[in-house]
Amino acid sequence: MTSVPTVTLHNGAKIPQLGFGVFQVPDDETTAAVSAALEAGYRSIDTAAVYGNEAGVGRAVARSGVERADLFITTKLWNADQGYDSALKAFDASLAELGLDYVDMYLIHWPTPARDLYLDTWRALETLVADGRVRTAGVSNFQPAHLERLIANSSLVPAVNQIELHPGLQQAALRALHAGRNIATEAWSPLAQGAVLGEDAIVSAAARHGKSPAQVVIRWHLQLGNVVIPKSVTPARIRENIEVFDFVLSDDEMRSIAAIDRGLRTGPDPDTLN
């Protein structure tokens, strides 16, 4: 079984640098997919209330035989549930779906700036951390202005910002802000839904290393220091995505992949989604 390195967050928690995402996986397929991931060696599972598959994740965890302390389970608060009281109620529902006593990380899924509720929502996450039901609080899809406002108005700095990040959208300015604030960068859509896998720099590196283009992109993330959560429901692909610790991209290969950046979003713009 592959051993995955961890990233130490500013609260001392250790998150596996390579995890398993279940975005758009139907609940009735989630249990099998997460079970295959746990068998392959993944120990970090990332879900969200809006995915509708927290129960499927919970079933896989319960059946896995893996010690709870060895797992890192993340879920996220949906936009409609922002606000202090609403967030606490939504967290209770997520915890019940997962069948767990606590989650390792809880994220505000989107800033939804037009609602202007993320400061009150963050207070709810601070409460959940103080109660011990959330070990680590973070955010997702927060832009620099959202992050800076949140930090200026709270006592707890988010440990993680989970953002769309891949060779086509490298988010250099946001990653630099994270580094300055000791916030870990976690990449969703790390393969750009396949849109970057045909790029010459990636295909060439894959051929040189005897790896798939997807493995090269995952390796690129790891060498940048990102936490990365690729998704698949295919057991062979799930195993392939974790087999990325036996090669290293050269500095030239990293520079070639850096040149792919073109501001390509596969998901919504965080400044306008509400």
Side-chain angles (χ1 to χ4, degrees):
M1 190 175 71
T2 302
S3 179
V4 176
T6 59
V7 170
T8 301
L9 304 176
H10 68 53
N11 65 348
K14 295 181 184 296
I15 182 172
Q17 196 180 2
L18 177 57
F20 184 71
V22 294
F23 174 58
Q24 293 183 328
V25 180
D27 189 66
D28 60 358
E29 296 178 31
T30 296
T31 302
V34 172
S35 296
L38 294 173
E39 270 187 40
Y42 296 83
R43 290 295 178 263
S44 174
I45 309 297
D46 180 276
T47 184
V50 76
Y51 299 170
N53 57 21
E54 290 171 315
V57 171
R59 288 191 297 270
V61 167
R63 297 171 188 175
S64 69
V66 179
E67 292 289 333
R68 177 66 184 91
D70 294 333
L71 295 171
F72 195 100
I73 308 297
T74 299
T75 193
K76 310 180 197 75
L77 175 81
W78 185 238
N79 304 342
D81 296 316
Q82 284 211 33
Y84 184 83
D85 292 332
S86 297
L88 294 177
K89 184 178 178 181
F91 176 76
D92 286 341
S94 285
L95 206 60
E97 286 289 296
L98 288 161
L100 300 175
D101 296 324
Y102 69 92
V103 296
D104 297 274
M105 189 159 70
Y106 197 41
L107 306 178
I108 301 176
H109 206 150
W110 293 87
T112 62
R115 293 170 185 258
D116 197 23
L117 290 171
Y118 62 80
L119 294 182
D120 283 341
T121 304
W122 187 248
R123 286 197 302 111
L125 269 66
E126 290 179 318
T127 296
L128 291 167
V129 169
D131 290 347
R133 296 197 296 156
V134 168
R135 299 290 171 86
T136 301
V139 295
S140 182
N141 301 300
F142 273 49
Q143 298 280 62
H146 311 139
L147 273 178
E148 295 287 16
R149 182 175 177 229
L150 183 63
I151 292 167
N153 288 278
S154 62
S155 58
L156 183 65
V157 175
V160 166
N161 188 14
Q162 186 184 116
I163 56 175
E164 180 176 358
L165 202 165
H166 46 73
L169 182 70
Q170 297 184 22
Q171 304 263 35
L174 194 46
R175 286 191 288 116
L177 173 59
H178 294 167
R181 293 291 195 173
N182 201 16
I183 298 169
T185 300
E186 185 169 19
W188 66 260
S189 193
L191 306 176
Q193 299 181 20
V196 298
L197 299 184
E199 294 282 346
D200 287 346
I202 293 168
V203 173
S204 298
R208 277 191 295 273
H209 293 282
K211 294 290 183 177
S212 71
Q215 287 172 311
V216 166
V217 174
I218 293 168
R219 183 69 210 178
W220 170 82
H221 280 285
L222 296 173
Q223 288 182 217
L224 282 181
N226 299 335
V227 177
V228 60
I229 45 171
K231 177 205 83 174
S232 179
V233 296
T234 307
R237 188 69 54 79
I238 290 169
R239 289 191 299 271
E240 176 185 288
N241 286 346
I242 202 173
E243 292 170 355
V244 290
F245 299 102
D246 57 351
F247 75 107
V248 176
L249 297 173
S250 69
D251 290 346
D252 284 345
E253 288 169 331
M254 293 293 287
R255 280 191 290 270
S256 294
I257 295 172
I260 296 170
D261 193 5
R262 58 180 184 274
L264 170 69
R265 284 195 183 275
T266 67
D269 183 336
D271 283 318
T272 57
L273 180 74
N274 289 294

